Amino acid sequence: MSYKSVRCSDSADVLGYGVALDVTIHVGCLCVPAERDISVYCGVQTITLKINFCPVLFSGYVDTDLALNGRHGDAHCRGFINNNTFPTVVLFSISLNTLESCDNSLVVSTAQGMNAYGNLSLVQIGNISGYIDTPDPPTIISYLPGLLYKFSCSYPLEYLVNNTQLAS
């Protein structure tokens, strides 16, 4: 069987029989990791991350190998697979109420911006960031490539303070 190089989001005649197959689930999928393999949605209650699953498989990993901020031992820091999308993705959902649970970073900075009255003023911005990675290989020599996906979302600090419960 010969493989054709196709983008992960394409349907293609991989076998050469004139039949279009969903290449994200086909064993012959040649989806190498790329910058477009992560989608970040900065929502009002949660940050949703979608990782294209085909490059994860192509690199020799499964969905449970991906974890937020290196927290591979914590089940709540792992994503779950969503087969109802094309291409198939691994979903991560980070609640703005529990940012610290998987070691996400919150950095506050100040920038010029418009206040509620339309005047220029200094506005504080909360930048939430982190990464999704694969575990270190168990041996010294490994042919598995490490995968690393970085993300960040910025919110007005007032929004984060007013919409989250502060831990005491």
Side-chain angles (χ1 to χ4, degrees):
M1 172 193 245
S2 64
Y3 297 106
K4 295 181 180 179
S5 178
V6 294
R7 290 190 336 225
C8 297
S9 59
D10 288 344
S11 290
D13 180 11
V14 178
L15 298 176
Y17 296 115
V19 178
L21 297 175
D22 178 356
V23 295
T24 60
I25 61 172
H26 188 269
V27 175
C29 181
L30 295 178
C31 303
V32 293
E35 288 182 20
R36 66 174 186 247
D37 290 338
I38 184 171
S39 298
V40 180
Y41 301 95
C42 303
V44 294
Q45 296 295 325
T46 60
I47 298 171
T48 304
L49 309 169
K50 295 180 179 181
I51 304 290
N52 190 341
F53 189 47
C54 186
V56 174
L57 282 176
F58 181 76
S59 299
Y61 298 101
V62 294
D63 59 321
T64 56
D65 289 328
L66 296 174
L68 282 166
N69 302 309
R71 302 283 301 264
H72 298 279
D74 295 338
H76 68 280
C77 295
R78 290 191 214 126
F80 63 92
I81 198 150
N82 184 352
N83 288 315
N84 296 327
T85 62
F86 180 80
T88 301
V89 295
V90 180
L91 284 174
F92 291 83
S93 183
I94 303 165
S95 171
L96 295 182
N97 292 332
T98 57
L99 290 174
E100 69 282 348
S101 65
C102 291
D103 292 339
N104 294 297
S105 173
L106 173 61
V107 175
V108 177
S109 60
T110 303
Q112 267 197 337
M114 296 289 220
N115 63 16
Y117 304 106
N119 299 324
L120 265 177
S121 65
L122 293 179
V123 177
Q124 289 187 306
I125 304 294
N127 186 22
I128 300 163
S129 62
Y131 62 92
I132 296 170
D133 70 346
T134 50
D136 290 331
T139 60
I140 295 174
I141 298 175
S142 173
Y143 295 102
L144 291 177
L147 299 178
L148 177 66
Y149 301 96
K150 295 180 180 181
F151 67 90
S152 70
C153 289
S154 293
Y155 296 92
L157 187 61
E158 180 181 6
Y159 176 83
L160 291 175
V161 171
N162 289 336
N163 287 298
T164 60
Q165 297 175 358
L166 296 177
S168 56

